[in-house]
């Protein structure tokens, strides 16, 4: 169920930065679980970062210390700040949310989320 919309994707050289945003009716005061996923060409979708209902944040090892997941609860916006981008970060990036409680440690399970965006393309050239 697509009730979110991502923006901010684009093309950048390795080492550059991008900030993705996610908005939509799928993010309300009831939202407890929120995440970013990505899917590279020919690969399965994978979790990138999650904020769980327990308040914890989890990152995939491949993006740790480079990506930052934050939210503006008042404006109902999710952000993914991506720094030091690498060619292997090239993918379509999706945001996802749900009203159900989730723990960050389990937050990369796609079935935890009922609301998804259509994705935004990020291309990193070497």
């Amino acid at each position: 169920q697509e009730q979110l919309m991502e923006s901010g994707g684009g093309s950048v050289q390795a080492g550059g930065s991008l900030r993705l945003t996610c908005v939509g009716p799928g993010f309300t005061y009831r939202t407890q679980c929120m995440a970013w996923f990505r899917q590279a060409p020919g690969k399965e979708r994978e979790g990138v970062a999650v904020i769980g209902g327990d308040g914890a944040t989890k990152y995939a090892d491949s993006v740790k210390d480079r990506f930052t997941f934050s939210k503006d609860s008042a404006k109902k916006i999710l952000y993914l700040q991506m720094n030091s981008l690498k060619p292997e970060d090239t993918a379509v990036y999706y945001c996802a949310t749900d009203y159900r409680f989730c723990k960050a440690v389990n937050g990369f399970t796609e079935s935890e989320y009922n609301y998804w965006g259509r994705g935004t393309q990020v291309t990193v050239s070497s």
Side-chain angles (χ1 to χ4, degrees), residues 6-124:
E6 305 89 347
S7 62
S11 297
V12 65
Q13 289 192 327
S17 299
L18 286 172
R19 188 178 76 163
L20 306 183
T21 62
C22 172
V23 298
F27 180 22
T28 73
Y29 72 96
R30 295 171 55 201
T31 298
Q32 296 202 69
C33 199
M34 54 205 84
W36 288 92
F37 289 80
R38 68 184 181 185
Q39 187 167 22
K43 295 187 177 181
E44 292 188 355
R45 190 156 57 185
E46 63 177 358
V48 174
V50 59
I51 297 175
D54 53 2
T57 304
K58 175 184 174 181
Y59 295 93
D61 289 342
S62 58
V63 307
K64 208 172 292 185
D65 299 325
R66 298 188 298 121
F67 289 12
T68 303
F69 185 8
S70 61
K71 61 176 180 174
D72 184 328
S73 297
K75 296 181 179 179
K76 301 294 183 289
I77 302 175
L78 303 178
Y79 299 100
L80 184 67
Q81 178 66 44
M82 306 186 296
N83 298 328
S84 302
L85 283 162
K86 304 176 180 180
E88 51 263 44
D89 295 319
T90 295
V92 177
Y93 284 71
Y94 302 87
C95 59
T97 63
D98 202 274
Y99 299 143
R100 297 170 296 176
F101 177 84
C102 75
K103 289 186 176 182
V105 67
N106 299 321
F108 288 165
T109 303
E110 293 190 27
S111 60
E112 294 283 347
Y113 305 94
N114 272 317
Y115 304 105
W116 291 82
R118 292 189 175 186
T120 184
Q121 176 71 47
V122 171
T123 302
V124 184

